[in-house]
Amino acid sequence: MTEMTETKKVEVPEGFMTGKFPLKKRAYGEEQPGIKVGPFKIRLPLIHHEWSWTEMAAAMFLGVACLGAGVTTTMTTFGLDDPANIAALGFDENGVFLMALTFGVLNAICYYLPSLLGDPVVPGWITPALPLTLKFLQQWDLPNYATGQVDRIYAMIALQMLVALSFLIMGATGIGRKLVDAVPMGIKAGIVLGAGVTAAVNVFSARMPKAPWTVAIAVLMSYFFLFNPSFARKATKSRFWNVVRNQGVVPAQLFAIILAPILLKEIPLPQIQWGFTPLSFGYVLEHFTIFGLGFPAWSFFLAAIPSALATYIIAFSDFVLAKEVVAEATSYRPDEKVIFDASRSNLVSFLRNAIMALFAPWVPMCGPLWASGLLTITERYKRGYKTMHTYWDGVCTFRAATVISVLILPLVTLIKPAFAIFFGITMGVQAFACGNIGIRMCQTANDRGVACVIAGALTYFTPGWALLVGIIVWAVVDGSEAIINLKNRKKTAGGPSPEELVFKPEDKKGCC
C-alpha cells in the first residue's frame, strides 16, 4: 500500500516524451531505447536522442581544441615538426599539418564510439599516462623519414596494441580489477604521482621555453578555475560562475586563442583556411601503420609491457570515476535510468585503441573518460528534464558534433596557433591533479615514500625500470608485512573488501 502511495506522488514532467524527436520514446523512469547488439546498445541521432545545440557549440571549440592538441603531440613525437623530415615526406609545413589532421579525424570518430554503443561517458586521452608514454618513446630516436628509421613509430604501435589487448582481456574477463587490487597502493600512487612530476617537467622544459608568459598565465588561470576554493564557493552561489567553473580549462583556452596573440605576441595570429579538412588515409596507412611499415618486431612488444601495464592501472581509475559521476548525475533524474557497465566500457576502450593502433597510432592513446567533458554535460543534465530530455542528448551530440567540427577547416585553423599552448595547459593541470591524487592515494608513511621514489625514478628512467625500482623498494620496506598480513587474513574471516582497497579519485575532475 505504501509503494502505491509513493508511486502516485511521482510528478511526471510536463510534456514528457511528447515531442517529435526522438522517435523512440521511453516510459518514465526507464532506460532510453536503443538497438541492442551483444553487450552494446546503439543510439542514433533523432531516432534515440535529440540533437543538443548547446553540446554542439561546446564541441566546436572543446572537441577541436583537444584533437588539435593530440595531433600536435603526435606530430612532435613522430618528428613531423622537423624541417628535414617534412621535406623528406614531400610536404611543406602547412601540408604536413593537414596530413596529420587525418589522425585527429579518425580519433574523433573513435571518440563517438562509446556513446554510440551505449557507454554513457565522454571519452578522452589516457592523460595521466601521456608523460609516461613520452618517456617510454624517448628510448628511440625521432623517426628519420629520409633513411627509413622509424623505430619510435613501431614502439608506439606496439604499445597501443598492448594497451588495447589489456582492455580486452582484463576488462572482459574481470582480471583487471583483481590485478589493480593486487598492486600495492604505494606503487599505484607512485605511477600517478610520477605522471604528475613528469608532466611538470614537460611544461617547464619543453612548453614554457616556446611561449613562457602565455603558458604560465594559461596554466595559472586553469588552476584558479579548477582548484581555487574561494572561487568554488562563489560558484555555488552564482549560476553564471557555476557555468564558468564547469567549463574547466575553457577560459584559459580562450585566453590563448584570442588575447595571447595580441597582448603577448608569443604565438602567431591564426591564418584561416577555407573548405573541409582534407583526408589522407592512404598516406597515413603507408607511412605510419603496419600496412605500410610492416609489423613491429617482438622486441618492441617486450619493451612496451611495463608501460602498457602502468597505462592500464592508470586508466582503471577512470572506470571507477565514470561510474560515480554517472550515478551522481542520475540521482537527480528519476525520469531516466542510465546504466554504466565497466565491462562494456573496457570493450569500447579496446575497440578505440585497436582501431588507432592499426590505422593511425595515437600518442595520447584512448582513455575511457574525459572527466571535465563529462562533468560539463552532467551539470546541465542535473538541472532537469526541460534542460536535457535524455542523458544521451548530451554525450551523443557532443562527440558526434566533434567529428563534424574537426572536418571544418576554418574552425581548425582558427585554433591551430594555440594547439601547443593547449598541450601545455593539459600537462600543467595534469601535474597539479596527479600530484593531488597520487598523494591522497597513499595510506601509510611507507606508501608515500615508495610513491616518491617511483615518481623520481620516472623522471630519469623508462617506465619499466621505474616500476622495477618501485617494486624493489616496496619489497624491502613493506614486503615482509604484506606476507604477514596475507597469512593473518587467511586465518581470520572478514577484513576489508576489494572495493575498500580501490582508490576512488573524487578530485580527479581536473584531469582531462
Side-chain angles (χ1 to χ4, degrees):
M1 194 70 178
T2 306
E3 291 181 1
M4 291 178 62
T5 305
E6 290 178 352
T7 303
K8 289 179 182 179
K9 290 181 180 179
V10 172
E11 293 186 9
V12 178
E14 183 180 352
F16 182 76
M17 287 284 123
T18 57
K20 184 176 181 181
F21 299 110
L23 299 178
K24 299 292 185 181
K25 318 292 186 184
R26 73 176 183 275
Y28 184 89
E30 295 300 320
E31 188 179 8
Q32 187 68 17
I35 304 169
K36 188 166 178 58
V37 180
F40 307 116
K41 188 166 283 190
I42 299 172
R43 291 185 175 89
L44 302 173
L46 304 185
I47 297 175
H48 302 105
H49 68 86
E50 294 180 70
W51 190 261
S52 171
W53 296 105
T54 300
E55 266 62 50
M56 181 173 180
M60 290 180 70
F61 175 74
L62 284 175
V64 172
C66 291
L67 284 171
V71 168
T72 301
T73 303
T74 300
M75 287 179 66
T76 303
T77 306
F78 289 169
L80 294 177
D81 58 348
D82 179 72
N85 276 334
I86 293 172
L89 291 172
F91 290 107
D92 58 18
E93 187 176 339
N94 184 60
V96 78
F97 169 72
L98 295 178
M99 179 275 294
L101 283 177
T102 303
F103 287 80
V105 171
L106 183 58
N107 193 59
I109 295 170
C110 289
Y111 272 162
Y112 184 36
L113 278 180
S115 57
L116 178 67
L117 297 177
D119 191 17
V121 300
V122 175
W125 306 353
I126 309 179
T127 315
L130 179 55
L132 308 185
T133 301
L134 296 175
K135 190 74 177 178
F136 164 73
L137 294 175
Q138 285 173 6
Q139 297 175 79
W140 295 273
D141 293 334
L142 280 174
N144 186 324
Y145 299 104
T147 63
Q149 186 280 111
V150 291
D151 284 355
R152 183 176 286 194
I153 298 176
Y154 281 128
M156 185 63 231
I157 293 172
L159 175 60
Q160 192 156 27
M161 282 184 171
L162 286 181
V163 170
L165 192 62
S166 298
F167 280 118
L168 176 63
I169 296 175
M170 297 182 182
T173 63
I175 295 175
R177 173 174 288 278
K178 294 178 182 178
L179 175 64
V180 173
D181 289 347
V183 175
M185 189 58 72
I187 294 177
K188 286 191 284 191
I191 292 171
V192 176
L193 188 60
V197 172
T198 50
V201 170
N202 183 279
V203 172
F204 292 127
S205 64
R207 304 300 147 194
M208 291 194 71
K210 296 180 180 179
W213 285 105
T214 304
V215 172
I217 293 172
V219 170
L220 290 174
M221 285 179 65
S222 301
Y223 287 172
F224 179 81
F225 287 115
L226 287 170
F227 306 117
N228 184 282
S230 300
F231 179 69
R233 287 193 297 271
K234 186 176 182 63
T236 61
K237 301 174 183 178
S238 165
R239 175 171 291 186
F240 172 78
W241 290 116
N242 187 50
V243 170
V244 171
R245 186 170 187 259
N246 287 335
Q247 303 315 305
V249 299
V250 174
Q253 291 175 327
L254 286 172
F255 164 79
I257 293 173
I258 299 171
L259 294 178
I262 300 171
L263 298 179
L264 302 176
K265 302 185 187 308
E266 290 181 331
I267 59 176
L269 290 167
Q271 301 294 318
I272 306 298
Q273 299 179 49
W274 302 99
F276 294 103
T277 300
L279 300 179
S280 306
F281 283 115
Y283 192 90
V284 170
L285 287 174
E286 180 181 353
H287 291 86
F288 301 96
T289 74
I290 62 172
F291 302 104
L293 301 177
F295 203 77
W298 289 109
S299 58
F300 291 107
F301 288 94
L302 290 174
I305 289 174
S307 293
L309 179 61
T311 299
Y312 184 82
I313 292 172
I314 289 171
F316 180 83
S317 63
D318 280 344
F319 296 119
V320 178
L321 180 58
K323 184 175 181 178
E324 291 177 347
V325 171
V326 173
E328 193 268 343
T330 54
S331 68
Y332 287 76
R333 293 288 299 270
D335 61 288
E336 181 176 18
K337 180 189 297 183
V338 180
I339 299 173
F340 175 82
D341 185 328
S343 294
R344 177 173 55 202
S345 193
N346 266 284
L347 290 174
V348 176
S349 296
F350 153 70
L351 287 173
R352 292 170 58 223
N353 280 286
I355 290 169
M356 296 305 293
L358 290 174
F359 300 109
W362 184 248
V363 173
M365 289 190 284
C366 304
L369 177 67
W370 177 25
S372 296
L374 182 61
L375 286 163
T376 300
I377 292 171
T378 54
E379 285 301 315
R380 290 189 65 244
Y381 179 73
K382 290 190 294 187
R383 294 174 191 169
Y385 177 80
K386 290 184 179 180
T387 300
M388 193 181 295
H389 290 173
T390 170
Y391 186 94
W392 305 97
D393 292 352
V395 292
C396 289
T397 302
F398 185 82
R399 278 315 188 197
T402 301
V403 180
I404 297 170
S405 300
V406 78
L407 292 171
I408 303 173
L409 191 57
L411 184 62
V412 175
T413 51
L414 171 67
I415 304 173
K416 178 189 173 185
F419 282 168
I421 307 301
F422 291 166
F423 183 58
I425 293 171
T426 299
M427 289 290 97
V429 171
Q430 203 60 56
F432 191 101
C434 285
N436 179 22
I437 293 167
I439 292 171
R440 290 182 66 248
M441 288 172 72
C442 299
Q443 299 173 340
T444 67
N446 280 356
D447 284 347
R448 290 189 287 273
V450 172
C452 185
V453 171
I454 294 177
L458 281 167
T459 64
Y460 286 97
F461 305 119
T462 64
W465 284 109
L467 276 176
L468 180 60
V469 169
I471 291 170
I472 292 172
V473 173
W474 173 84
V476 169
V477 299
D478 268 346
S480 58
E481 286 298 302
I483 294 172
I484 293 170
N485 291 337
L486 183 61
K487 289 180 179 178
N488 291 338
R489 194 170 299 171
K490 288 180 179 179
K491 293 178 181 178
T492 19
S497 66
E499 288 75 15
E500 291 173 325
L501 297 175
V502 176
F503 169 67
K504 293 180 171 56
E506 293 85 358
D507 289 342
K508 196 179 176 182
K509 63 183 180 181
C511 301
C512 293

